Amino acid sequence: MLTVQNITHRYGRSPALSGVSLALAKGETLGLLGQNGAGKSTLLKIITGYIAPSEGVVKVAGQDINRHPAVRGEIGYLPEKPPLYDDMRVDEQLVYLARLKGLPRRKAHSEAAVLTEKLGLGPVSRRLTGNLSKGYRQRVGLAGALIGDPPLLVLDEPTSGLDPGQRQVFARLVEELAPRHAIIISSHIVSEVRTLSSRLAILHQGRLVADGEPYKLEAGLG
């Protein structure tokens, strides 16, 4: 589903990523770990086409995302700070995002309703997004990423701002989605990512220093 080939990216003369390569198949959940500044968010922005790499290629479903921009429709992306419209109600926003993704009006309304229920947004569905807590804003952003059921999900710090109960809801959602999707979850919470992921990848100073099944990496570190 996803192939990342020798990605390098520089901000000025400073390398944020150096020669990163990985692949992800449907049914895999990859936990992306690394300290602040390791390059996690930069890598995810490149994978989703928000920025172009200085070197290297990203392919989704076998197609270069920079040469075939339409393939980006196969990606559901939740940035660390969800880009929400603060002056729109939650229900309006989800329908609007669904329409932007090309869903017909009736389908857009029905999918927004399903995601509202699945993510527990019913109590705030008529409120302006700008008046929501961080946890609810995160859930609205996650709902937006799931619209259209894209096969590749890229989630950058998806549980930021969620309380323990909301984290459990998110974990159940990932378990439900995992068999039918390829999922990348970036986080600094090692225990959480280890539980959710079938693979772990560790970035350090812009380089991929480990990639494998959690128990194998733990055995090697031990």
Side-chain angles (χ1 to χ4, degrees):
M1 191 65 222
L2 171 68
T3 305
V4 175
Q5 299 175 333
N6 198 34
I7 290 295
T8 293
H9 190 69
R10 304 178 187 87
Y11 293 111
R13 295 185 177 181
S14 301
L17 295 169
S18 300
V20 174
S21 297
L22 56 84
L24 191 65
K26 186 174 76 171
E28 287 189 300
T29 300
L30 177 69
L32 184 63
L33 294 167
Q35 297 177 337
N36 290 338
K40 301 190 302 300
S41 292
T42 298
L43 179 60
L44 298 189
K45 288 176 182 177
I46 289 172
I47 288 172
T48 52
Y50 273 67
I51 59 176
S54 303
E55 299 173 18
V57 176
V58 174
K59 294 182 180 180
V60 173
Q63 298 190 73
D64 185 330
I65 63 168
N66 289 312
R67 294 189 177 186
H68 305 278
V71 79
R72 298 177 192 178
E74 302 292 295
I75 305 171
Y77 179 37
L78 174 65
E80 187 174 1
K81 295 181 180 179
L84 304 177
Y85 299 96
D86 288 348
D87 58 349
M88 294 180 71
R89 297 197 315 258
V90 171
D91 55 355
E92 292 174 329
Q93 183 145 200
L94 294 181
V95 171
Y96 177 68
L97 292 173
R99 295 288 285 158
L100 283 179
K101 289 189 176 184
L103 274 65
R105 185 175 300 278
R106 182 174 295 181
K107 177 65 174 175
H109 280 273
S110 64
E111 185 143 347
V114 168
L115 289 169
T116 294
E117 181 177 355
K118 182 174 287 188
L119 293 174
L121 291 168
V124 298
S125 65
R126 304 286 293 178
R127 290 176 55 183
L128 292 177
T129 306
N131 295 333
L132 298 181
S133 67
K134 184 177 181 181
Y136 271 121
R137 289 177 64 86
Q138 200 74 2
R139 281 195 264 179
V140 175
L142 180 57
L146 296 176
I147 288 171
D149 197 29
L152 174 60
L153 299 175
V154 179
L155 311 176
D156 193 358
E157 300 285 353
T159 61
S160 175
L162 302 187
D163 62 35
Q166 293 166 346
R167 290 175 188 269
Q168 290 181 358
V169 170
F170 173 76
R172 289 195 296 269
L173 180 62
V174 170
E175 290 176 359
E176 177 187 331
L177 294 168
R180 299 179 291 107
H181 297 78
I183 305 174
I184 301 178
I185 301 174
S186 170
S187 180
H188 63 280
I189 305 175
V190 177
S191 59
E192 183 175 76
V193 172
R194 185 174 59 233
T195 301
L196 295 173
S197 305
S198 56
R199 278 172 55 201
L200 293 179
I202 301 174
L203 283 175
H204 179 66
Q205 295 181 350
R207 296 183 180 276
L208 188 66
V209 297
D211 181 2
E213 297 176 31
Y215 76 93
K216 290 184 179 179
L217 293 185
E218 290 170 357
L221 291 173

